[in-house]
Amino acid sequence: MQSLEAELEEARALDIDDLADAIESIGFECTRCGACCKGEDEDDHTATVFPDEVRELEESDEYEGDYDWRDVARPMPYGLSETEAGDLEGETFEWALQTDDCGDCTFYEEDESGTGACVAHDDRPLICRTYPFSVALAGTSQPMGEAVDEEGVVRAHECEGLGRDISRADAEELARALKERAVRELEEAIAVRDEYAPAGPDPGEVVVHDSEGAKRIDGTPLEE
């Protein structure tokens, strides 16, 4: 198995034209069905987000300071456990976009016809910009289960918009975002590994380890 550093070099060497060729071959057009923004069955929507992306949404002029860290992001639930009092505790290693009471992304809305829209579309994170695609490199996220199609290193995940015609310009834009995401995910994984220090056998709260160190659920450093 290659090291994360070797995978990062592969990600940095990804060719935009090759990625765009693969995306064109698979085909994609968003139908605004909202499936990628909603929870599924009893599982909440889960989309990973980098700490700087959380701040961009939190500080966006569009929301005029209405959001704080917890409005935008929540700890990735994997690795956490529930106490007798019903609170969560433990350590996890990623942030996920916050969800509403229905388990859908907090930034997702539907109009009266049922057509979905992202209210943070211009500031949406890379994982949202690149869905339903990922690249087949260790250390990168593979959203929404197994791939249903693939071309070279590009994988496509379940989405009703797959197989539709896509323009070359849109394929190239998506390819650039896909490469950026792959690089960022590997840089994040390496930084998390290098920054990690166990919070202790009984942290008594939720601790999220990201590339900037250990944080509480409100995004503040654990040591403060």
Side-chain angles (χ1 to χ4, degrees):
M1 183 176 179
Q2 288 196 101
S3 68
L4 290 174
E5 286 79 6
E7 297 283 352
L8 176 57
E9 289 308 307
E10 284 198 22
R12 288 172 173 164
L14 289 170
D15 184 84
I16 298 298
D17 284 337
D18 289 345
L19 296 177
D21 287 345
I23 291 167
E24 270 193 304
S25 177
I26 294 171
F28 172 68
E29 180 185 18
C30 179
T31 65
R32 296 181 65 184
C33 69
C36 60
C37 304
K38 298 178 182 178
E40 185 175 353
D41 297 326
E42 296 182 359
D43 294 327
D44 288 352
H45 173 265
T46 304
T48 54
V49 60
F50 300 119
D52 63 301
E53 292 178 322
V54 177
R55 281 191 292 273
E56 287 175 9
L57 286 164
E58 182 185 11
E59 298 167 3
S60 172
D61 291 339
E62 183 176 350
Y63 314 116
E64 300 178 348
D66 290 341
Y67 289 166
D68 62 24
W69 187 281
R70 294 185 67 176
D71 293 323
V72 175
R74 62 189 175 96
M76 187 67 79
Y78 312 128
L80 304 181
S81 58
E82 190 171 316
T83 67
E84 291 184 2
D87 299 319
L88 292 176
E89 65 177 3
E91 300 177 77
T92 188
F93 296 89
E94 290 178 305
W95 297 97
L97 286 175
Q98 187 58 273
T99 55
D100 61 19
D101 293 339
C102 297
D104 301 339
C105 177
T106 192
F107 296 104
Y108 177 72
E109 291 184 357
E110 289 184 353
D111 62 21
E112 293 181 358
S113 69
T115 300
C118 173
V119 299
H121 191 267
D122 291 343
D123 299 309
R124 67 196 189 282
L126 280 165
I127 197 164
C128 303
R129 293 178 184 274
T130 53
Y131 191 82
F133 297 100
S134 66
V135 294
L137 294 175
T140 59
S141 296
Q142 307 299 315
M144 306 289 279
E146 296 297 320
V148 296
D149 200 353
E150 57 186 289
E151 285 283 340
V153 298
V154 174
R155 292 178 175 175
H157 302 264
E158 186 174 357
C159 176
E160 72 172 32
L162 289 173
R164 297 168 180 259
D165 290 340
I166 183 171
S167 70
R168 183 65 187 186
D170 287 346
E172 289 176 352
E173 181 180 356
L174 216 167
R176 284 190 289 271
L178 191 59
K179 177 177 179 176
E180 181 184 358
R181 179 181 138 212
V183 170
R184 290 287 311 280
E185 285 178 339
L186 283 156
E187 289 175 339
E188 180 80 7
I190 290 169
V192 170
R193 180 199 64 194
D194 293 345
E195 291 283 339
Y196 175 69
D202 184 18
E205 61 180 323
V206 173
V207 177
V208 182
H209 299 274
D210 64 27
S211 56
E212 300 170 349
K215 292 189 176 86
R216 297 184 177 88
I217 59 174
D218 63 359
T220 57
L222 187 62
E223 62 268 17
E224 286 187 0

